Amino acid sequence: MKIIRYSKNPLLTKENVPFGVNSIFNPGAVKYNGKYILLCRVEMPIGRSSFVIAESADGYNFKVSSIPVLTPEDHKDFYDYVNWGIEDARITQIENKFYITYTGYSKYQPIVMLAETSNFADFKIHGPISEPSNKDCALFPEKIDGYYWKVDRPSAENRRDIWISKSADLVHWGGYKVLLEPEKGTWETDKIGSSSNPVRTKKGWLMLYHGVRSFGTGSIYKLGVVLLDLEKPWIVKGKSKEPILSPDKVYERIGDVNNVIFSNGWIIEENGDVKIYYSGGDTNVCLAETNVEYLISLCK
Ligand code: BMA
């Protein structure tokens, strides 16, 4: 098994959105009531992002909601932290609720926001769960050692590492540790960040991440995969040495931001098949398929 791009990529472009947008991209993904749900970022004509739902019975053919389901204006008490847009949702089911971690963007720079929903129509917004500058947050789907856990990507001077922390209530966090650092002099040399919510496998927590190498003229975003210890999730058991998906097709090479493969959502089927939803060039929604065993075999 390899990572196989869907032959009809991209699944969605702005032509599939029933209202005027610049782009649709970076979907969070989850199965709900037997349906595939993508919570996609739409950049509105003014240049600020909101979220729409795209829904599908088969994971390939999606229909986009007629209006955004979550906007900066919905944030009332927290508007100052999201008034430049909300971006890049990651969805984690914990018991019978869906928790959404996403980027709030404002003059204060990126910050991690938390919301929850039971039906993808009504959202309870908890507000910021980080200080700036921080993004790429993903929650673990169950308690470990009595705590909820998250990964995120704070920006420190010259450093873009993935950190892990824990919480008793999903809102107040502590116990911060560095989880993963960019491997210098490789495809991920400049920065890394989570690309999916971690999923339990027999061998450990499996998670996609993105790595970035910057050049004078821009950056290249690629995907990797990492395996974390089940009981001690701050321990890395292995990771892919090479990227698992790199910009290659025209719809990944050329877009609002060239040479980007960015993912923040995947679905693991009961038989171990994996659907990685991703975007090419910050401009569309695409799909690549693989399976859990193959991803684990890459984590050395
Ligand atoms: C990251 C985020 C993503 C975006 C990516 C590539 O920093 O802002 O939303 O897809 O850059 O441009």
Side-chain angles (χ1 to χ4, degrees), residues 86-151:
I86 51 174
E87 306 179 351
D88 306 352
R90 289 163 179 86
I91 309 169
T92 303
Q93 183 171 0
I94 305 180
E95 290 162 2
N96 56 358
K97 280 192 185 151
F98 298 95
Y99 291 87
I100 300 157
T101 50
Y102 53 103
T103 303
Y105 195 36
S106 73
K107 68 180 180 187
Y108 302 111
Q109 297 303 301
I111 201 165
V112 177
M113 300 289 297
L114 175 70
E116 67 174 75
T117 184
S118 316
N119 57 13
F120 290 95
D122 309 300
F123 295 86
K124 180 176 175 193
I125 298 167
H126 292 279
I129 54 166
S130 80
E131 295 172 315
S133 176
N134 199 326
K135 53 164 62 172
D136 299 324
C137 175
L139 299 172
F140 287 70
E142 59 192 79
K143 283 186 173 175
I144 307 163
D145 195 23
Y147 290 98
Y148 297 106
W149 294 77
K150 70 167 163 57
V151 293

Side-chain angles (χ1 to χ4, degrees), residues 30-76:
V30 78
K31 259 192 178 173
Y32 163 64
N33 273 353
K35 293 220 165 117
Y36 294 77
I37 302 282
L38 301 181
L39 191 59
C40 306
R41 171 175 171 189
V42 279
E43 192 187 280
M44 305 302 283
I46 193 177
R48 296 177 176 174
S49 294
S50 288
F51 293 147
V52 289
I53 299 271
E55 201 180 289
S56 165
D58 61 7
Y60 302 95
N61 298 290
F62 283 89
K63 191 166 185 287
V64 180
S65 56
S66 57
I67 51 165
V69 291
L70 197 64
T71 68
E73 288 69 28
D74 294 328
H75 282 69
K76 300 184 174 57

Side-chain angles (χ1 to χ4, degrees), residues 25-26 41 87-88 135 191 221 257 260 262 282:
F25 61 117
N26 291 5
R41 171 175 171 189
E87 306 179 351
D88 306 352
K135 53 164 62 172
K191 51 182 171 177
Y221 278 71
V257 185
V260 173
F262 192 92
D282 282 359

Side-chain angles (χ1 to χ4, degrees), residues 14-29:
K14 67 176 177 182
E15 275 71 41
N16 303 106
V17 182
F19 51 95
V21 296
N22 291 338
S23 50
I24 178 166
F25 61 117
N26 291 5

